[in-house]
């Protein structure tokens, strides 16, 4: 196995993990090769608080030999060097006298100094800076470097980009398969759904997760509500206020309320301007609440603001095979500003798929 093949192998190993099982940790895969390039051991990080990829790989290799001094460890992310829920992997590598470590990408966590520690102990280190590894851990890198949640935007529109008709009716633009995909693959794999109080009122949605058998699961919801309109008595029977057992509704508002709130409601104080919420004002607070990965399900203003403030990371666009052809219908995007073509927002296409007759475009914001 060549170096390139080994790095690719570690990334594919890392992909075996489920984001929900490891978040907020990164995806990591590791493989140990003997001097002839044969696999001695491999592993991936499977569960938060559980052994790291390097531990699995080393333990497996030790079943074949007690001497790893001529072996090379390939890992998709820099080995940790600090005590967290598990001991440092760098110490384990040093302990077993592994000759060489090849790293696909460095860890942006400032607590990690694995490269320096390995080099200081006479271990040869090679850093590849493999983009595939960074893309795989885009959520982790965003949390660590930008100190904010990772935002995924979701739209369902007609071919001409309309998300509702002139009367604000949107049920249903996308088909049943698209809606089920949103539950199974989007709502189920984030820490919260972000929306606005207007969308909650208009859609009368509970924003739960419904599996293919009709079973309902709770999920956290973040509602942007500057004046806490939804907490008025007239909205007390909205579906979003179902009896929660483990999830929360997080209200982003401009000031704390003067009245007592239920245990399942949390307040985050944010800064607002004429366009709406300034997302940088709440980023650290949301991370502290464990909101590392957020899906937005809202109208054009909220999604447009996320894009305008450069905090949108991914986008799923469900396109139904229909055209409204009505300028008074609601568009999926657009804010009250002018922008020259040279200032357009660029995206990279990740995947295209069809769900019955709907087309799903999955993009990454550059």
């Amino acid at each position: 196995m060549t170096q390139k093949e080994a790095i690719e192998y570690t990334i594919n190993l890392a992909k075996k993990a489920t984001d929900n099982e490891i978040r907020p940790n990164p995806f990591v895969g590791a493989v140990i090769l003997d001097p002839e390039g044969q696999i001695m051991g491999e592993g991936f990080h499977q569960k938060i608080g559980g052994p790291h990829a390097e531990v699995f790989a080393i333990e497996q290799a030790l079943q074949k030999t007690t001497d790893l001094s001529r072996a090379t460890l390939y890992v998709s992310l820099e080995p940790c060097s600090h005590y967290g829920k598990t001991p440092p992997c760098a110490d384990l590598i040093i302990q077993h006298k592994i000759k060489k470590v090849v790293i696909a990408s460095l860890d942006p966590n400032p607590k990690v100094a694995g490269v320096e520690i390995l080099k200081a102990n006479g271990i040869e280190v090679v850093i590849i800076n493999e983009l595939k590894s960074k893309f795989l851990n885009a959520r982790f890198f965003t949390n660590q470097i930008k100190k904010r949640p990772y935002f995924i935007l979701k739209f369902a529109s007609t071919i001409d980009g309309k998300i509702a008709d002139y009367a604000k009716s949107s049920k249903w633009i996308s088909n049943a398969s698209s809606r089920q995909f949103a539950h199974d693959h989007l709502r189920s794999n984030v820490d919260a759904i972000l929306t606005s109080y207007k969308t909650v009122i208009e859609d009368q949605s509970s924003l739960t997760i419904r599996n293919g058998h009709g079973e309902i699961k709770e999920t956290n919801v973040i509602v942007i509500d500057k004046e806490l309109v939804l907490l008025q008595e007239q909205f007390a029977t909205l579906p979003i206020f179902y009896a929660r057992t483990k999830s929360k509704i997080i209200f982003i508002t401009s000031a704390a309320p003067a009245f007592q709130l239920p245990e399942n409601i949390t307040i985050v104080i944010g800064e607002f301007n004429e366009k709406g919420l300034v997302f940088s004002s709440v980023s650290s607070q949301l991370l502290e609440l464990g909101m590392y990965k957020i899906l937005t399900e809202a109208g054009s203003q909220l999604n447009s603001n996320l894009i305008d403030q450069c905090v949108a990371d991914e986008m799923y666009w469900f396109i139904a095979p229909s055209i409204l052809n009505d300028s008074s219908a609601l568009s999926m995007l657009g804010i009250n500003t002018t922008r020259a073509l040279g200032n357009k927002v660029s995206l990279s296409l990740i995947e295209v798929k069809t769900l019955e007759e709907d087309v799903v475009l999955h993009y990454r914001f550059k």
Side-chain angles (χ1 to χ4, degrees):
M1 187 179 290
T2 66
Q3 177 174 284
K4 183 178 180 180
E5 290 170 339
I7 287 296
E8 189 79 24
Y9 194 84
T10 67
I11 293 170
N12 289 330
L13 281 171
K15 290 178 181 178
K16 292 184 177 182
T18 302
D19 196 29
N20 281 345
E21 294 292 325
I22 63 172
R23 202 164 54 244
N25 287 356
F27 290 90
V28 185
V31 63
I32 296 177
L33 302 186
D34 65 17
E36 285 71 46
Q38 300 300 309
I39 295 176
M40 301 173 69
E42 63 182 57
F44 64 96
H45 180 44
Q46 302 175 17
K47 190 177 183 64
I48 187 169
H52 288 187
E54 299 93 323
V55 175
F56 283 117
I58 290 172
E59 287 180 348
Q60 196 176 105
L62 289 174
Q63 294 175 11
K64 299 178 179 178
T65 178
T66 57
D67 182 11
L68 300 181
S69 63
R70 298 175 64 224
T72 299
L73 169 68
Y74 295 84
V75 62
S76 62
L77 191 70
E78 180 180 6
C80 65
S81 57
H82 63 290
Y83 280 89
K85 296 182 184 300
T86 59
C89 291
D91 288 358
L92 188 66
I93 295 166
I94 294 164
Q95 175 189 335
H96 290 286
K97 298 181 173 59
I98 292 174
K99 176 184 177 182
K100 181 179 178 180
V101 177
V102 181
I103 300 168
S105 63
L106 295 176
D107 192 323
N109 186 341
K111 294 180 180 178
V112 175
V115 169
E116 288 82 357
I117 291 173
L118 294 175
K119 286 181 176 180
N121 283 271
I123 295 172
E124 181 185 352
V125 177
V126 176
I127 302 166
I128 302 298
N129 285 321
E130 173 57 57
L131 284 177
K132 289 181 182 178
S133 178
K134 293 180 179 179
F135 286 150
L136 177 62
N137 281 313
R139 181 265 307 159
F140 177 72
F141 275 64
T142 298
N143 295 163
Q144 291 291 327
I145 297 172
K146 299 182 179 180
K147 306 299 181 186
R148 65 165 176 81
Y150 189 81
F151 289 100
I152 301 171
L153 278 55
K154 183 191 80 106
F155 312 98
S157 83
T158 58
I159 291 173
D160 52 338
K162 304 300 182 180
I163 60 173
D165 65 17
Y166 70 94
K168 298 184 178 181
S169 174
S170 61
K171 291 183 172 58
W172 295 105
I173 288 177
S174 59
N175 63 35
S177 294
S178 290
R179 298 195 296 275
Q180 194 58 56
F181 179 91
H183 282 264
D184 294 340
H185 299 280
L186 302 183
R187 288 188 179 186
S188 297
N189 289 296
V190 295
D191 297 305
I193 300 170
L194 172 69
T195 191
S196 69
Y197 79 93
K198 289 182 180 179
T199 299
V200 171
I201 295 171
E202 290 167 1
D203 289 357
Q204 296 283 304
S205 175
S206 59
L207 293 173
T208 52
I209 301 168
R210 182 189 66 251
N211 67 23
H213 303 291
E215 296 171 330
I216 305 296
K217 288 176 59 180
E218 296 181 29
T219 187
N220 298 311
V221 179
I222 304 169
V223 182
I224 300 175
D225 190 352
K226 181 181 178 182
E227 307 296 337
L228 290 178
V229 173
L230 286 189
L231 294 184
Q232 296 175 9
E233 188 175 349
Q234 61 180 309
F235 298 118
T237 58
L238 283 171
I240 198 173
F241 292 118
Y242 64 84
R244 296 172 182 266
T245 60
K246 57 184 180 180
S247 62
K248 287 184 176 293
I249 302 176
I250 301 169
F251 281 97
I252 300 178
T253 183
S254 60
F259 49 87
Q260 185 71 28
L261 294 170
E263 287 186 1
N264 59 13
I265 291 180
T266 298
I267 296 294
V268 169
I269 307 300
E271 177 186 338
F272 291 78
N273 59 25
E274 67 280 359
K275 293 182 180 179
L277 175 67
V278 178
F279 285 92
S280 61
S281 69
V282 298
S283 295
S284 60
Q285 297 177 74
L286 292 175
L287 280 183
E288 287 172 7
L289 291 171
M291 304 295 114
Y292 303 101
K293 188 178 181 184
I294 296 171
L295 174 70
T296 71
E297 296 197 17
S300 63
Q301 183 176 353
L302 193 157
N303 287 317
S304 296
N305 284 342
L306 279 160
I307 295 171
D308 191 52
Q309 296 178 38
C310 299
V311 290
D313 298 296
E314 283 185 32
M315 184 178 89
Y316 284 85
W317 183 10
F318 296 79
I319 307 173
S322 57
I323 298 171
L324 269 175
N325 199 25
D326 180 356
S327 62
S328 61
L330 301 184
S331 296
M332 58 185 278
L333 287 172
I335 55 177
N336 187 21
T337 187
T338 56
R339 175 173 282 145
L341 189 60
N343 294 325
K344 64 183 181 294
V345 177
S346 297
L347 302 94
S348 295
L349 183 64
I350 298 174
E351 183 183 19
V352 179
K353 66 168 57 192
T354 56
L355 295 170
E356 296 181 28
E357 292 190 325
D358 286 359
V359 175
V360 186
L361 301 179
H362 182 195
Y363 287 102
R364 177 183 296 111
F365 284 83
K366 289 186 178 179

